[in-house]
Amino acid sequence: MASNQKRKLWYFLLLAFSVYGGNSWGGQNASGPARKANPEYQMNWQTFSLRGKVKFVRETEDKPPAPGIGPENLEQLWFDPAGNVTRRVTTRADEYYGDKRYKYDGVGNYEEVEHYKQDNTLKFTAKNTFDADGNLVEYAEFTQGTRLTYKRINTYEKYTPEEHIMEVKWVVPPSRPGDTVKYVTRFDAQGRKTQVEVYRDSRKAVFSKTLYQYNPDNTVEETHYEYSRDNPDQVDSKRVTLYDAAHRVLSRKFTRSASSEDNFDESTRYDPAGNIVEYTWTNPQGVDLKRSYRNDYVYDKQGNWTRRVTSSPKRAFRGSVTRRIEYYPAAADR
């Protein structure tokens, strides 16, 4: 299980950098019809850009011919007829193993995730609790079925169309002084995020700030600032990301105040199906040929790729991935 510190860092990233999540109104305790969907807590056909009624995906990295290479990487996904992932099994050359089994509420938010070991014994269970607007208000982990080992609570101090103020506290283990985090999110008249500020220790020090600019061509420019821990008024780093209308990254520019050696630029191109065909990483020395790559795809009749070949920017072969896709009968090829 991940350490508490890693869990906290991941949670900061998940909440602070999302552009489109949490833009529905009515208040934290609003009454009304069914709970609203939260895209950040959904795993479905759309999450994996799959077309048709996919039942199962087995994604295998072809074994390179070079000697000494470890076992192939493998990803397996099972979907229910509604399109939600019910199980995800991942292996990464014996370095990582994950077997997650999902349970959902009526609008497709996953409420429970069971994490299994490779020997098929239960490692721990994670449970999410949502309010009527689909906001996550509690996250908890249990081992041995009912033993609580981790719990985090999100409390909305303010929830209006113009501004959300949310405080995050760790209950198990309890928060230490300085561990309390607040997110202040502001919105425009169309319900789109314009600014997210993250504060440590009840708004006493700025952790980060993210600004959003919505352009006439439907692209979104996200500017993220990280502040120095020693001097909250000093910007430590800046990241500018440009998204297209489908929320895909088109480019990203990172600059660090203290050292230009860490600076980089990213650019990404997609094919008509929305899959990456070219990725370029540029640093102060020029194009990084190891990080940059190109992809070519083979597609089935449903429009899902079944083979991906990756090469260097100069077209040197790097590897390939094969997909076996099964469909529910209504969408199966005939």
Side-chain angles (χ1 to χ4, degrees):
M1 196 181 305
S3 67
N4 294 330
Q5 207 63 29
K6 288 182 179 179
R7 274 194 290 250
K8 291 177 183 179
L9 177 59
W10 168 247
Y11 191 64
F12 295 161
L13 296 173
L14 178 64
L15 287 179
F17 303 156
S18 171
V19 176
Y20 296 106
N23 287 350
S24 54
W25 314 119
Q28 184 184 6
N29 300 311
S31 60
R35 176 188 301 153
K36 296 179 181 179
N38 186 334
E40 295 177 16
Y41 294 91
Q42 297 191 332
M43 294 280 285
N44 51 39
W45 293 326
Q46 290 73 30
T47 307
F48 295 93
S49 301
L50 292 168
R51 302 181 180 187
K53 294 182 69 66
V54 174
K55 182 179 182 180
F56 173 74
V57 176
R58 179 185 174 94
E59 190 174 297
T60 308
E61 183 178 281
D62 299 333
K63 292 182 178 179
I69 299 298
E72 57 196 340
N73 295 335
L74 178 67
E75 181 91 274
Q76 298 179 91
L77 298 166
W78 287 261
F79 297 86
D80 64 19
N84 294 316
V85 173
T86 57
R87 187 181 180 189
R88 183 178 187 178
V89 177
T90 308
T91 58
R92 289 289 181 265
D94 278 352
E95 295 180 2
Y96 172 79
Y97 178 85
D99 184 349
K100 300 177 182 179
R101 305 177 191 185
Y102 296 83
K103 296 180 182 179
Y104 298 84
D105 62 15
V107 293
N109 302 324
Y110 54 82
E111 292 184 308
E112 182 174 300
V113 184
E114 293 179 326
H115 296 251
Y116 282 82
K117 301 177 184 178
Q118 198 160 2
D119 62 4
N120 204 37
T121 58
L122 183 62
K123 185 177 181 182
F124 70 96
T125 300
K127 294 185 178 182
N128 297 320
T129 302
F130 302 93
D131 65 14
D133 289 294
N135 299 305
L136 181 71
V137 294
E138 182 178 301
Y139 172 82
E141 292 180 4
F142 300 85
T143 58
Q144 300 173 356
T146 59
R147 181 172 172 267
L148 179 65
T149 55
Y150 180 85
K151 185 176 181 179
R152 182 182 67 239
I153 294 178
N154 304 336
T155 302
Y156 283 88
E157 299 179 351
K158 184 178 182 181
Y159 198 90
T160 68
E162 297 79 25
E163 186 177 59
H164 295 178
I165 300 178
M166 183 185 71
E167 182 178 75
V168 181
K169 285 187 177 181
W170 285 263
V171 180
V172 180
S175 294
R176 297 171 300 177
D179 272 357
T180 301
V181 177
K182 282 196 177 183
Y183 294 83
V184 179
T185 307
R186 296 183 176 89
F187 302 86
D188 62 16
Q190 296 176 254
R192 304 175 303 189
K193 288 183 182 178
T194 58
Q195 179 175 301
V196 177
E197 291 178 315
V198 184
Y199 293 87
R200 294 191 301 270
D201 197 15
S202 299
R203 302 189 70 171
K204 293 181 180 179
V206 179
F207 180 79
S208 67
K209 178 190 291 186
T210 307
L211 304 176
Y212 302 96
Q213 176 180 313
Y214 299 88
N215 302 318
D217 61 357
N218 289 326
T219 58
V220 182
E221 184 174 288
E222 173 191 287
T223 304
H224 180 75
Y225 300 92
E226 293 280 347
Y227 291 89
S228 170
R229 291 182 178 273
D230 299 325
N231 183 1
D233 295 323
Q234 178 181 333
V235 175
D236 183 61
S237 64
K238 176 182 177 182
R239 185 182 67 246
V240 180
T241 306
L242 184 67
Y243 298 90
D244 65 10
H247 193 42
R248 297 175 303 206
V249 174
L250 297 175
S251 64
R252 180 175 286 125
K253 183 180 182 66
F254 176 86
T255 55
R256 186 177 296 281
S257 303
S259 172
S260 62
E261 294 180 359
D262 297 328
N263 296 349
F264 66 83
D265 288 87
E266 296 174 284
S267 64
T268 308
R269 290 198 308 110
Y270 302 86
D271 66 9
N275 295 307
I276 296 175
V277 293
E278 186 174 32
Y279 173 80
T280 304
W281 176 292
T282 306
N283 56 32
Q285 288 73 45
V287 175
D288 189 324
L289 297 178
K290 291 184 178 180
R291 292 178 180 263
S292 305
Y293 60 86
R294 293 183 177 184
N295 286 331
D296 292 288
Y297 300 89
V298 175
Y299 290 90
D300 65 10
K301 294 179 180 180
Q302 299 288 342
N304 296 312
W305 67 265
T306 55
R307 183 172 175 80
R308 183 184 69 211
V309 178
T310 301
S311 59
S312 72
K314 296 183 178 181
R315 289 296 186 184
F317 176 78
R318 285 185 176 171
S320 59
V321 175
T322 299
R323 261 181 174 180
R324 179 170 68 85
I325 303 178
E326 296 179 8
Y327 296 89
Y328 282 99
D333 292 336
R334 295 192 172 121

